[in-house]
């Protein structure tokens, strides 16, 4: 009987232990101790029950037999789990174990109750009753505790589990992150303790390889791994930055690039003094992302918090037994490991998590100037149709997408944690061909090339128009609405802005007669003629601006070449000099941000901290298009046929930046020059020592040029005196979206009359296509033609009364007419489907402000700030609303924020001398412009620009 009482206590302990293990799964030594106890108790009781059942089977009652058999059956999947592990494919074993253990515990409860009643009086009876009561208390805990904990977690989740924006923003960088006294300032990155942590935490990624071999191999080649001083381009930019402005401002970069040498507090020492240390070469580790326990908001600048997990030392231990024990416990019960390294926001708020490093701004502690938006891959995604949150997009994709859908595609793997044999690729394929080329990493380079060529962008040589350009004669600029405020930004601003769709300036001039599409309408030109060729570059599956990232440092351009049937190159825009190895000719149509320092020098050394003005920014928004104009002058010697070849080319990094990063040294012949935080007037030559550069290659790399998209069309050529047959455009339904894309490109550059004419053709091709009418309405709103806009927008609403963009633009026309209540009704329709479209939200707030309903307007603008705490329009209008309510203190704060984020218009004065010195850049700055051919001093028919395949084959 004594043994039986011990059984009661043992079973009660096992029940309590199970009740704790089920809901908590915490990564603590206490939890792991309970897990070990659970396995030992289970094995011990299984052995005891098996022996007892074997010895006393005939004398046992049915209930005792049933309870013991159920318990033994429940032990079987538990023991199997100890062997095969509790990973996702084996979770059914855990569920079976639990499902069988619960009825076993209930049946055994009845058995133990009967046993306790049969025990005679005295101490034995008292002990048995105590054991029974312990079991009786433990049994309901098996259901009550897990159920209660899960219910509490459902209704009261941890605030850190999700990423939410505040309804205000800091008035300066000194208020961001943990503040200026943080050891990590001016980066917003922080640790849970607010103090430094050992660097070895970011240098143990190989530990993860024991269970995640495929993911480790992918990461090992990725740009996350080569984000730091093992990347020569980044290394040179930080060495230069620290030489000019010191180490502290460079922490702004380190918070997202250099965790092993940043979080341990060593970034106060110039990196040149520690460049060859393991910390400087570590890059971003597995723990850099997976040990983030909180992301403050979607403001970026490294606004996350990292925790040093309690069990990390056990996992990374060099002791073989501790390694085995850690791996065994993780395999048996992976939930604690998952809780440490896969927070809810890693899956549910993945784009906001990525924004912590893929969205940045600079301010006084970094640039000694003012707030300025840096690169930003989040906001335009969030505001676009790709995210499923943008109401006003030109196109609504069938399925919304997040960062991981493109940049972490599913690949085959048998790693622990795979789902149906797939894991998300940790190669993070994007656009960096430079680093894998320098590392001679064939597989990573091919992965990136394949990604770039995966039809994310298309090119269409679409239209031809005869005659010289009429731009500059008879056109009139249309001023933007006065309430369209300009954000201080070195990057493009897209659908997150009210002015999106108006171009840098809007022009009203009669549209040129065009022949299009060129593959459907036979186009004929005469020798000696001047014609305009229009090429449309369209973003298809790009979720952010194209190109994205640090767009002041790439060569991305649209090339057009014309070769006649004699083999003569008669036109070439976008030619690469030095037999395809040098810079792109200056007159090419570039996609980039052309930044200037305060002396007008180009920002070409990744020295964004010195940027003071923007000469131009040209990027293509997601789900939009760019219509590019080329001026072809047909030579008298041309053959009878001209083949037009358009290519969208991508080279990372820009030619000058690569030369400088590898071999750039100060020109010793220059003498003294001006150098400060805001300018560098020095000259550079490319004759530096290459023996110590980072990467496998110890020479300046001849980086691959990847053709992302291309198109080819043909023109027929006749003699100068020949009559050209009548040429008409074709308006076929199959080409509906091509016409629409052409019009979108014209609209975005502000060519309103041409855009309107194009969209009207779209409505003629398919009157049931609501977007055609909406786009005509967009144009007319920009022109100030409210009545005309309402006419076409009503047609769109008749076709689909719930279409969000129709309701939004119709509301704008009603607002212009002072019909505020009716306008609000239409805005509410748009917000019902797209509550996170901040431009729509701001318009609703603006109308409420105009109605003097200040409190209601404030609520709308605060909803905008939940999407973006730095929204300029919201802060401006909140300032006005608070002034209207007489809240001077709140109004003053909103004024500070408005002035903080607002553009410095006076900085455009810097561009004047630059535009005079560089007419090609000045041409590119104009919203509507044409590209002429580069000098054709090359042999006939020769095309020196090598394909990426020949460059790739050169890898050793």
């Amino acid at each position: 009987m004594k043994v039986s009482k011990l059984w009661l206590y043992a079973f009660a302990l096992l029940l309590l232990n199970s009740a704790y293990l089920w809901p908590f799964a915490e990564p603590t030594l206490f939890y792991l101790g309970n897990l070990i106890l659970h396995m030992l108790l289970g094995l011990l009781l299984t052995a005891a029950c098996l022996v007892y059942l074997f010895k006393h089977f005939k004398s046992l009652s049915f209930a005792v037999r049933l309870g013991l058999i159920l318990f033994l059956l429940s032990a079987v999947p538990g023991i199997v789990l100890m062997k095969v592990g509790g990973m996702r494919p084996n979770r059914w074993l855990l569920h079976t174990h639990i499902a069988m253990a619960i009825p076993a515990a209930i049946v055994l409860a009845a058995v133990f109750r009967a046993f306790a009643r049969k025990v005679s009086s005295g101490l034995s009876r008292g002990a048995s009753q105590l054991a029974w009561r312990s079991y009786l208390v433990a049994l309901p805990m098996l259901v009550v505790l897990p159920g209660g904990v899960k219910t509490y977690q459902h209704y009261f989740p941890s605030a850190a589990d999700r990423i939410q924006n505040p309804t205000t923003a800091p008035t300066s960088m000194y208020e961001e992150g943990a503040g200026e006294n943080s050891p990590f300032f001016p980066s917003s990155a922080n640790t849970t303790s607010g103090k430094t942590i050992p660097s070895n935490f970011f240098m143990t990624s190989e530990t993860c390889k024991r269970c995640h071999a495929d993911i480790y191999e992918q990461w090992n080649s990725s740009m996350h791994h080569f984000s730091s001083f093992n990347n020569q381009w980044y290394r040179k930019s930080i060495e230069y930055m620290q030489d000019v402005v010191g180490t502290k401002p460079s922490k702004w970069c380190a918070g997202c690039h250099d965790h092993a040498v940043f979080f341990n507090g060593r970034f106060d020492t110039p990196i040149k003094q520690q460049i060859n240390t393991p910390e400087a070469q570590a890059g971003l580790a597995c723990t850099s992302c997976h040990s983030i326990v909180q992301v403050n908001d979607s403001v970026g600048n490294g606004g996350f918090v990292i925790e040093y997990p309690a069990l990390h030392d056990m996992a990374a231990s060099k002791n073989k037994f501790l390694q085995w024990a850690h791996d065994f416990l993780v395999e048996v019960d992976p939930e604690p490991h998952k809780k440490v390294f896969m927070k809810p926001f890693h899956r549910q708020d993945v784009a906001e998590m990525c924004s912590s490093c893929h969205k940045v701004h600079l301010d006084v502690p970094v640039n000694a100037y003012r707030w300025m938006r840096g690169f930003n891959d989040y906001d335009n995604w969030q505001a676009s149709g790709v995210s499923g949150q943008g109401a006003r997009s030109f196109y609504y994709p069938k399925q919304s997408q997040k960062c991981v859908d493109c940049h972490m595609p599913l690949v085959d793997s048998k790693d622990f944690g795979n789902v149906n044999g797939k894991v998300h690729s940790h190669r993070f394929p994007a656009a960096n061909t430079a680093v894998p080329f320098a590392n001679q990493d064939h597989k990573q380079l091919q992965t990136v090339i394949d990604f770039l060529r995966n039809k994310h962008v298309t090119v269409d040589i679409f239209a031809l128009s005869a005659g010289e350009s009429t731009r500059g004669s008879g056109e009139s600029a249309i001023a933007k609405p006065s309430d369209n405020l300009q954000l201080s930004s070195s990057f493009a601003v897209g659908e997150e802005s009210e002015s999106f769709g108006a171009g840098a300036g809007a022009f009203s001039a009669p549209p040129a007669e065009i022949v299009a599409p060129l593959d459907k309408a036979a186009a004929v030109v005469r020798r000696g003629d001047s014609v305009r060729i229009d090429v449309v570059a369209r973003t298809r599956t790009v979720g952010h601006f194209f190109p994205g990232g640090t767009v002041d440092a790439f060569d991305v351009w649209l090339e057009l070449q014309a070769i006649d049937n004699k083999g003569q190159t008669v036109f070439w825009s976008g030619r690469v000099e030095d037999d395809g190895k040098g810079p792109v000719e200056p007159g090419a149509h570039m996609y980039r941000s052309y930044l200037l320092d305060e002396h007008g020098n180009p920002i070409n050394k990744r020295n964004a901290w010195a940027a003071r003005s923007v000469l131009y920014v040209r990027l293509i928004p997601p789900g939009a298009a760019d219509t590019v104009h080329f001026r072809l002058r047909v030579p008298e010697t041309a053959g009878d046929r001209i083949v037009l070849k358009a290519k969208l080319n991508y080279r990372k990094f820009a030619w000058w930046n690569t030369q400088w990063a590898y071999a750039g040294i100060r020109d010793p012949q220059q003498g003294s020059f001006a150098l400060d935080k805001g300018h560098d007037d020095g000259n550079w030559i490319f004759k530096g020592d290459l023996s110590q550069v980072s990467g496998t290659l110890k020479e300046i790399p001849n980086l691959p040029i990847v053709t992302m998209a291309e198109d080819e069309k043909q023109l027929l050529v006749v003699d100068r005196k020949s009559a050209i047959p009548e040429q008409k455009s074709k308006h076929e339904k199959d080409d509906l979206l091509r016409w629409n894309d052409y019009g979108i490109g014209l609209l975005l550059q502000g060519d309103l009359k041409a855009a309107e004419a194009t969209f009207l053709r779209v409505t003629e091709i398919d009157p049931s296509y609501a977007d055609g009418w909406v786009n005509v309405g967009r144009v007319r709103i920009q022109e100030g033609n409210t009545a005309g806009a309402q006419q076409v927008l009503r047609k769109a609403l008749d076709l689909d009364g719930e279409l969000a963009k129709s309701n939004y633009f119709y509301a704008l026309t009603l607002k212009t007419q002072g019909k505020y209540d009716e306008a609000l009704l239409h805005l509410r329709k748009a917000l019902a489907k797209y509550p996170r479209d901040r431009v729509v939200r701001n318009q609703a707030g603006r109308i409420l402000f105009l109605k003097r309903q200040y409190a209601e307007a404030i609520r709308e603008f605060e909803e905008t700030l939940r999407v973006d705490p730095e929204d300029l329009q919201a802060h401006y209008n909140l300032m006005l609303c608070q002034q209207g309510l007489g809240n001077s203190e709140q109004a003053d704060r909103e004024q500070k924020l408005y002035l903080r984020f607002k553009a410095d218009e006076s900085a455009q004065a810097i561009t004047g001398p630059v535009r005079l010195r560089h007419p090609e850049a000045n041409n590119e700055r104009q919203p509507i412009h044409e590209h002429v051919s580069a000098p054709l001093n090359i042999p006939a028919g020769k095309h020196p620009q090598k394909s990426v395949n020949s460059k790739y084959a050169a890898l050793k």
Side-chain angles (χ1 to χ4, degrees):
M1 301 302 291
K2 184 177 180 181
V3 173
S4 298
K5 284 180 285 186
L6 287 176
W7 282 14
L8 269 169
Y9 283 119
F11 272 109
L13 179 59
L14 183 62
L15 285 176
L16 286 172
N17 169 268
S18 301
Y20 167 74
L21 290 178
W22 191 355
F24 286 103
E26 296 297 331
T28 62
L29 288 173
F30 181 74
Y31 180 87
L32 292 185
N34 271 276
L35 179 60
I36 294 169
L37 175 65
H38 185 81
M39 291 185 285
L40 292 176
L41 270 176
L43 290 172
L44 179 65
L45 287 172
T46 298
C49 289
L50 192 62
V51 171
Y52 186 81
L53 187 64
F54 180 77
K55 285 184 177 181
H56 306 288
F57 185 81
K58 292 184 179 179
S59 63
L60 295 176
S61 67
F62 173 77
V64 174
R65 291 178 186 174
L66 178 62
L68 293 177
I69 290 172
L70 284 173
F71 177 77
L72 290 172
L73 288 174
S74 73
V76 172
I79 294 170
V80 175
L81 277 172
M82 294 171 62
K83 176 64 177 174
V84 302
M87 304 302 172
R88 189 176 282 103
N90 303 327
R91 297 296 283 177
W92 66 274
L93 287 168
L94 176 63
H95 300 151
T96 304
H97 175 62
I98 295 171
M100 298 180 74
I102 291 175
I106 294 171
V107 173
L108 287 174
V111 172
F112 293 151
R113 175 60 176 155
F115 161 74
R117 285 179 174 175
K118 289 180 180 179
V119 176
S120 58
S121 61
L123 291 175
S124 295
R125 179 177 177 80
S128 298
Q129 288 291 337
L130 180 61
W132 153 247
R133 286 169 184 157
S134 299
Y135 188 90
L136 188 64
V137 171
L139 182 60
M141 292 295 289
L142 190 62
V143 176
V144 173
L145 184 60
V149 170
K150 294 295 184 184
T151 301
Y152 178 84
Q153 290 174 344
H154 176 76
Y155 288 103
F156 303 98
S158 170
D161 284 348
R162 301 298 301 273
I163 302 171
Q164 297 179 334
N165 284 319
T167 57
T168 187
T171 59
S172 77
M173 186 174 268
Y174 296 106
E175 300 171 14
E176 295 174 1
E180 62 179 312
N181 294 323
S182 165
F184 313 116
F185 183 81
S187 171
S188 292
N190 200 11
T191 62
T192 49
S193 67
K195 300 177 181 178
T196 60
I197 54 179
S199 59
N200 68 341
F201 179 55
F202 301 103
M203 300 171 65
T204 54
S205 293
E206 200 163 355
T207 299
C208 306
K209 185 179 179 180
R210 300 201 299 261
C211 293
H212 303 288
D214 291 340
I215 288 176
Y216 173 83
E217 179 194 358
Q218 295 157 9
W219 163 85
N220 200 37
S221 292
S222 74
M223 280 310 304
H224 277 200
H225 182 200
F226 291 96
S227 66
S228 192
F229 303 104
N230 48 9
N231 171 344
Q232 180 60 26
W233 287 270
Y234 177 75
R235 169 184 169 178
K236 185 61 175 268
S237 69
I238 298 300
E239 290 175 344
Y240 170 72
M241 181 180 187
Q242 292 184 346
D243 286 346
V244 178
V245 300
T247 58
K248 188 165 186 175
S250 68
K251 291 183 182 180
W252 174 75
C253 309
C256 285
H257 281 266
D258 315 297
H259 287 181
V261 74
F262 168 73
F263 278 112
N264 67 351
R266 288 172 52 176
F267 223 75
D268 290 314
T269 301
I271 200 62
K272 285 182 177 179
Q273 299 176 23
Q274 48 183 327
I275 197 68
N276 293 318
T277 62
E279 290 87 349
Q281 300 296 314
L284 294 178
C286 304
T287 49
S288 292
C289 292
H290 288 286
S291 288
I292 293 176
V293 295
Q294 181 179 340
V295 177
N296 302 331
D297 43 46
S298 65
V299 171
N301 272 27
F304 55 80
V305 179
I306 277 186
E307 181 178 59
Y308 191 105
L311 301 178
H312 172 262
D313 292 340
M314 182 179 179
S317 172
K318 297 186 182 300
N319 184 295
K320 295 296 183 182
F321 174 76
L322 288 179
Q323 285 185 16
W324 172 86
H326 172 272
D327 293 353
F328 171 73
L329 292 173
V330 168
E331 288 181 34
V332 170
D333 185 0
E335 281 303 305
H337 183 79
K338 183 179 176 182
K339 276 194 173 183
V340 171
F341 294 115
M342 283 299 292
K343 297 292 188 289
F345 57 73
H346 281 99
R347 295 188 184 277
Q348 299 178 59
D349 301 320
V350 63
E352 286 70 25
M353 178 187 166
C354 295
S355 77
S356 63
C357 280
H358 290 268
K359 174 183 176 181
V360 302
H361 61 268
L362 303 90
D363 210 335
V364 175
V366 179
N367 63 7
Y369 175 46
R370 55 158 298 155
W371 190 94
M372 180 181 285
R373 167 69 65 225
F375 87 92
N376 180 2
D377 288 335
Y378 174 77
D379 280 353
N380 194 240
W381 166 84
Q382 185 279 321
S384 75
V386 178
S387 70
Q389 301 175 41
R392 299 156 296 109
S393 300
F394 290 112
Y395 296 104
Y396 297 142
K398 293 180 180 179
Q399 180 66 45
S400 63
Q401 290 187 308
K402 296 183 179 181
C403 312
V404 296
D405 296 318
C406 288
H407 299 295
M408 295 186 72
L410 292 173
V411 294
D412 294 333
S413 175
K414 294 182 179 179
D415 277 1
F416 289 144
N418 76 78
V419 180
N420 300 322
K422 301 282 187 180
V423 297
H424 285 283
S425 174
H426 284 61
R427 289 186 180 277
F428 308 105
N432 196 315
T433 53
V435 170
F437 187 89
N439 290 338
Q440 300 288 277
D441 188 334
H442 299 248
K443 192 169 184 178
Q444 180 72 9
L445 178 59
Q446 191 62 55
T447 299
V448 176
I449 290 172
D450 290 345
F451 177 83
L452 287 171
R453 289 176 162 174
N454 197 25
K455 300 179 180 178
H456 297 299
V457 187
T458 58
V459 169
D460 184 6
I461 304 174
F462 184 73
L464 175 147
S465 56
E468 295 288 348
S469 172
T470 59
R471 289 290 159 196
S473 60
E475 64 191 36
S476 58
I478 300 173
K480 290 183 181 181
S482 60
D483 57 351
N484 284 347
L485 308 173
Q486 186 179 356
L487 185 76
S488 175
S489 178
S490 65
F491 201 72
V493 179
E495 289 173 270
E496 65 271 28
S497 167
E498 286 187 25
S499 59
F500 177 73
F507 296 86
S508 179
E513 290 293 329
I514 66 171
V515 179
L518 290 182
D519 55 335
K520 301 287 182 70
V524 181
V525 297
R526 287 182 296 207
R527 296 178 181 88
D529 276 359
S530 172
V531 296
R532 191 184 79 183
I533 307 295
D534 292 341
V535 182
V536 179
R538 160 86 149 87
T539 48
R540 299 286 175 182
T541 58
V542 182
H544 46 69
F545 275 114
F546 171 82
T550 52
V551 292
D552 58 304
F554 313 156
D555 281 336
V556 185
W557 73 102
L558 187 64
E559 174 188 358
L560 183 69
Q561 188 183 31
I563 303 174
D564 70 7
N565 57 315
K566 296 179 181 179
Q568 298 179 109
T569 299
V570 300
F571 180 94
W572 199 346
S573 174
R575 180 167 61 88
V576 178
E577 298 174 7
D578 191 18
D579 196 28
K581 301 175 184 177
V584 183
E585 58 98 357
H589 188 79
M590 305 294 295
Y591 294 103
R592 64 174 175 178
S593 177
Y594 194 134
L595 306 179
L596 304 171
D597 71 15
E598 62 190 4
H599 285 186
N601 301 301
I603 299 296
N604 52 12
K605 299 176 283 295
R606 288 301 303 122
N607 51 328
W609 39 271
R612 296 295 184 266
S613 187
V614 181
L615 185 62
Y616 70 81
V617 179
R618 176 161 293 103
L619 307 174
I620 310 176
D626 181 32
T627 298
V628 188
H629 310 298
F630 297 92
R631 176 60 54 180
L632 168 63
R633 301 186 188 281
V634 184
E636 297 287 354
T637 58
D640 299 328
R641 190 172 62 256
I642 293 177
V643 176
L644 301 172
K645 298 179 180 180
K647 294 181 178 181
L648 184 64
N649 297 315
Y650 202 112
R651 177 168 62 184
K652 185 165 182 175
F653 290 89
W655 178 87
W656 196 97
N657 184 258
T658 296
Q659 307 301 305
W660 175 80
Y662 273 75
I665 57 174
R666 295 287 186 181
D667 184 353
Q669 302 298 319
Q670 183 179 12
S672 61
F673 59 89
L675 174 64
D676 203 349
K677 294 178 180 180
H679 62 267
D680 181 349
D681 295 347
N683 297 333
W684 296 84
I685 59 174
F686 307 134
K687 296 182 179 180
D689 178 25
L690 296 168
S691 64
Q692 299 300 314
V693 296
S694 298
T696 303
L697 283 181
K698 302 304 178 184
E699 61 188 41
I700 302 175
N702 177 25
L703 295 177
I705 296 172
V706 180
T707 297
M708 293 185 62
E710 55 189 324
D711 189 32
E712 187 172 303
K713 298 289 172 32
Q714 182 174 281
L715 304 177
L716 298 179
V717 183
V718 297
D719 190 67
R720 172 193 284 271
K721 297 181 180 180
S722 299
I724 294 181
E726 185 179 7
Q727 302 179 87
K728 290 186 178 181
S729 293
K730 302 291 185 181
H731 305 121
E732 299 176 3
K733 198 161 187 177
D734 289 346
D735 299 318
L736 174 75
L737 297 184
R738 294 175 68 190
W739 280 100
N740 200 49
D741 292 340
Y742 180 65
I744 290 170
L746 295 171
L747 172 61
L748 292 181
Q749 63 191 224
D751 196 346
L752 299 184
K753 289 299 183 184
E756 181 179 23
T758 303
F759 291 136
L760 286 172
R761 293 189 186 194
V762 171
T763 65
E764 292 169 6
I765 295 171
D766 185 0
S768 67
Y769 182 58
D771 278 298
W773 301 109
V774 173
N775 289 338
V776 177
R778 292 180 195 251
V779 174
R780 291 179 178 176
I781 288 172
Q782 292 299 328
E783 290 181 318
N785 181 4
T786 300
Q790 286 185 335
Q791 179 185 9
V792 292
L793 289 168
R794 287 194 197 101
K795 291 183 178 181
L797 289 169
D798 289 341
L799 290 168
D800 184 354
E802 300 303 314
L803 192 64
K805 65 185 83 172
S806 306
N807 280 286
Y808 169 76
F809 288 110
Y810 192 65
L812 293 189
T813 66
L814 294 169
K815 173 190 167 189
T816 302
Q817 296 172 332
K819 300 176 180 178
Y820 296 149
D821 292 333
E822 191 178 350
L824 274 174
L825 288 175
H826 286 277
L827 291 175
R828 296 294 179 208
K829 278 191 175 184
L831 288 171
K833 288 189 173 183
Y834 298 93
R836 286 175 57 82
D837 188 309
R838 49 190 169 116
V839 172
V840 180
R841 184 74 64 183
N842 279 339
Q843 281 292 353
R846 183 69 180 175
I847 288 175
L848 290 168
F849 166 77
L850 293 173
K851 295 180 67 177
R852 300 191 179 186
Q853 296 176 6
Y854 301 130
E856 293 87 344
I858 287 172
R859 285 194 288 270
E860 293 291 348
F861 294 125
E862 287 179 344
E863 286 300 312
T864 295
L865 297 181
R866 294 186 195 280
V867 179
D868 179 22
E870 297 170 324
D871 187 275
L872 179 67
Q873 193 80 26
H875 286 297
Y876 172 74
N877 283 290
L878 280 168
M879 173 187 72
L880 300 180
C881 289
Q882 297 292 0
Q883 288 172 348
L885 290 173
N887 298 329
S888 57
E889 185 175 342
Q890 293 95 322
D892 289 346
R893 190 176 196 283
E894 294 300 334
Q895 184 181 35
K896 287 180 182 178
L897 290 167
Y898 161 64
L899 293 175
R900 183 187 185 202
F901 302 135
K902 180 179 178 293
D904 176 11
E905 292 89 350
S906 65
Q908 279 299 298
I910 296 171
T911 69
V914 182
R915 292 158 63 188
L916 291 173
R917 290 196 305 269
H918 302 284
E920 296 93 349
N922 183 50
N923 181 61
E924 193 74 349
R925 173 187 167 95
Q926 307 311 311
I928 306 170
H929 62 275
E930 296 179 351
H931 295 271
V932 298
S933 178
L936 300 175
N937 54 343
I938 53 176
K942 185 177 180 182
H943 194 305
Q945 198 159 304
K946 296 179 180 179
S947 70
V948 72
N949 291 330
S950 62
K951 290 178 179 289
Y952 180 56
L955 282 176
K956 301 167 186 171

